Amino acid sequence: MMQPVIIIGSGLAGYAVARELRRLTADRPIVLISADHGGFYSKPVLSNALSTGKTPESIINGDAEKMATQLNITIRPHTRVMAIDNANKSVLLSNNERLEYGALVLATGADQARLPLQGSGVSKILTVNDVDDYKRFRDAIADKKRVAIIGAGLIGCEFANDLSATGYQVDVIDIASQPLGRLLPPEAGAYLQKKLEDVGVVFHLNASVQSVNHAEDLIQLVLTSNEQIKTEIVLSSVGLTPRVDLAQETGLLVRRGIVVNQMLQTSDENIYALGDCAEVLGKVLPFVMPITHAARALAATLAGNPTPVLYPVMPVLVKTPACPTVVAPPEAGQAGEWQVESDADGVKAVFQDDAGNPLGFALLGQATAQKNDLAGRLPPVLG
Ligand SMILES: Cc1cc2nc3c(=O)[nH]c(=O)nc-3n(C[C@H](O)[C@H](O)[C@H](O)COP(=O)(O)OP(=O)(O)OC[C@H]3O[C@@H](n4cnc5c(N)ncnc54)[C@H](O)[C@@H]3O)c2cc1C
């Protein structure tokens, strides 16, 4: 009998590979192993679930049992892969069981980064990176009114909009001088900031959090600017760190993420990686669209038709209804300049090289209508 494809992780990446592979091969055994509940859900929904009326329970589209039947695969929920024995092509599970694989797929995702903070309230800081975290967060805010968010990146801004739209008093703290500092030029950042302020979000920029302490029933944040914020809940969203430990302990090549070539193959020819844990030809792209493209290519490869992943232009929609925003950021370190046109209705920012070729864009407000036109003029992310 054919050895199974073992997939580690039941996030969008793990499920996308399982689904695509099942489409191509009806009888190849597929085993999906997950440290969590193993149910299928769309993670992006978490940061606008309040205003769209979703609960942690209703976010799950199918539990592990239902998904196993639907995809005709084996799912091992609440089971952690502790080690990979790549010489013998097997994995060791948390219940001490050993499973052999024909091919192994690492879809282990990323952890929310944690700032090294001081104070008696540090253990109260919440992060949201999966539906279990989200359930804890929803339970925590249920009888509260004030939330402070550390980090004004994509996830921080989306939660800020969602919370303020549903009646919470929201403070956002960031060391940068604007929200979405890595994705937007200053004029666009200022526009987004103003739109979020208009719905009640209070920004504390150019400042980081120095300490987090209990203050009676509240939590007090002291910022490097000496400002003090009293709040009830603290949510940290300061970035993601690819989960690479398992790969590292197996001796696979790891840099920022698990290093893979365009076939999504790691430094071991029988082990592949995709999603938030993977670094594809130097790129770590923790978004849904790269997963969709990677999963299709990898499934074809696993089904016997070696297929390199190609990334087209993949604009990311920022879920801030107070300020519709779409970004297709230029690659880090690319030479060029932002050309910005803005008025009261929106901002169009195009990042161009010396010859005037567009390499990336950010569109806000009414300018988002130009997304398709601009996307058509950008080079593919990975050709
Ligand atoms: C709040 C939020 C909003 C977002 N919004 C957007 C958006 O609007 N658009 C967009 O493009 N992207 C968005 N993203 C990013 C997107 O959701 C992620 O890129 C994507 O979900 C990552 O999927 P993944 O499968 O790679 O990782 P994960 O979803 O993190 O899955 C990893 C899986 O691996 C399992 N695992 C890890 N280690 C082990 C082990 N040793 N043994 C067994 N199992 C293990 C975990 O239990 C989990 O099941 C958002 C992210 C967040 C947090």
Side-chain angles (χ1 to χ4, degrees), residues 214-345:
H214 287 293
E216 293 169 7
D217 289 346
L218 298 174
I219 301 175
Q220 184 181 50
L221 307 181
V222 179
L223 309 190
T224 45
S225 55
N226 282 330
E227 200 182 344
Q228 301 189 357
I229 299 169
K230 286 207 167 125
T231 189
E232 292 169 298
I233 299 290
V234 183
L235 177 68
S236 171
S237 57
V238 293
L240 292 170
T241 315
R243 291 194 186 110
V244 298
D245 295 10
L246 205 51
Q248 213 151 28
E249 287 155 14
T250 312
L252 305 181
L253 186 59
V254 165
R255 282 195 281 264
R256 204 147 63 89
I258 303 168
V259 172
V260 294
N261 60 22
Q262 211 164 344
M263 308 303 290
L264 302 162
Q265 191 175 41
T266 67
S267 52
D268 179 312
E269 62 176 355
N270 300 305
I271 306 181
Y272 301 81
L274 82 166
D276 284 8
C277 67
E279 179 177 322
V280 186
L281 295 188
K283 296 176 205 299
V284 177
L285 300 171
F287 301 109
V288 175
M289 284 305 285
I291 290 176
T292 307
H293 293 283
R296 267 188 214 137
L298 180 53
T301 298
L302 294 171
N305 175 23
T307 304
V309 62
L310 302 176
Y311 289 146
V313 179
M314 299 177 289
V316 177
L317 300 177
V318 184
K319 300 185 295 297
T320 45
C323 180
T325 299
V326 54
V327 293
E331 207 171 312
Q334 263 184 323
E337 269 186 18
W338 285 103
Q339 303 291 323
V340 183
E341 294 166 29
S342 67
D343 60 25
D345 295 327

Side-chain angles (χ1 to χ4, degrees), residues 32-288:
L32 192 146
I33 301 168
S34 182
D36 60 34
H37 52 89
F40 176 71
Y41 68 102
S42 171
K43 197 191 281 197
V45 166
L46 300 179
S47 46
N48 65 358
L50 278 167
S51 49
T52 52
K54 297 197 172 79
T55 62
E57 292 73 25
S58 71
I59 285 168
I60 309 251
N61 300 113
D63 63 15
E65 207 179 318
K66 177 174 163 195
M67 295 309 294
T69 308
Q70 194 182 93
L71 298 173
N72 184 25
I73 64 176
T74 303
I75 302 182
R76 306 288 297 266
H78 303 295
T79 306
R80 184 168 282 281
V81 173
M82 306 303 288
I84 302 167
D85 176 357
N86 54 335
N88 294 303
K89 293 173 71 179
S90 69
V91 292
L92 176 67
L93 308 186
S94 40
N95 62 358
N96 276 330
E97 204 181 333
R98 207 169 268 283
L99 292 183
E100 292 186 355
Y101 60 80
L104 182 65
V105 177
L106 304 177
T108 49
D111 285 314
Q112 285 276 357
R114 286 255 176 196
L115 292 176
L117 295 171
Q118 310 283 319
S120 59
V122 168
S123 62
K124 291 271 177 198
I125 299 176
L126 299 172
T127 57
V128 173
N129 190 32
D130 58 40
V131 74
D132 290 330
D133 292 341
Y134 189 63
K135 176 149 185 19
R136 280 186 284 276
F137 177 67
R138 283 289 284 264
D139 288 346
I141 63 171
D143 56 349
K144 304 286 194 298
K145 279 273 157 252
R146 293 154 78 168
V147 181
I149 300 176
I150 308 176
L154 193 126
I155 294 171
C157 286
E158 291 185 350
F159 273 115
N161 198 158
D162 203 39
L163 286 158
S164 64
T166 46
Y168 288 86
Q169 191 181 318
V170 181
D171 290 281
V172 178
I173 303 118
D174 200 296
I175 197 160
S177 55
Q178 62 167 84
L180 294 194
R182 294 210 194 115
L183 299 172
L184 301 181
E187 299 91 327
Y191 187 88
L192 172 66
Q193 180 180 341
K194 169 81 174 55
K195 292 290 177 188
L196 288 173
E197 284 170 349
D198 288 348
V199 294
V201 177
V202 177
F203 281 93
H204 309 263
L205 299 169
N206 300 304
S208 61
V209 177
Q210 210 160 38
S211 63
V212 181
N213 286 294
H214 287 293
E216 293 169 7
D217 289 346
L218 298 174
I219 301 175
Q220 184 181 50
L221 307 181
V222 179
L223 309 190
T224 45
S225 55
N226 282 330
E227 200 182 344
Q228 301 189 357
I229 299 169
K230 286 207 167 125
T231 189
E232 292 169 298
I233 299 290
V234 183
L235 177 68
S236 171
S237 57
V238 293
L240 292 170
T241 315
R243 291 194 186 110
V244 298
D245 295 10
L246 205 51
Q248 213 151 28
E249 287 155 14
T250 312
L252 305 181
L253 186 59
V254 165
R255 282 195 281 264
R256 204 147 63 89
I258 303 168
V259 172
V260 294
N261 60 22
Q262 211 164 344
M263 308 303 290
L264 302 162
Q265 191 175 41
T266 67
S267 52
D268 179 312
E269 62 176 355
N270 300 305
I271 306 181
Y272 301 81
L274 82 166
D276 284 8
C277 67
E279 179 177 322
V280 186
L281 295 188
K283 296 176 205 299
V284 177
L285 300 171
F287 301 109
V288 175

Side-chain angles (χ1 to χ4, degrees), residues 21-32:
L21 184 57
R22 182 50 78 231
R23 238 199 280 276
L24 299 175
T25 65
D27 47 8
R28 178 92 190 247
I30 301 173
V31 181
L32 192 146

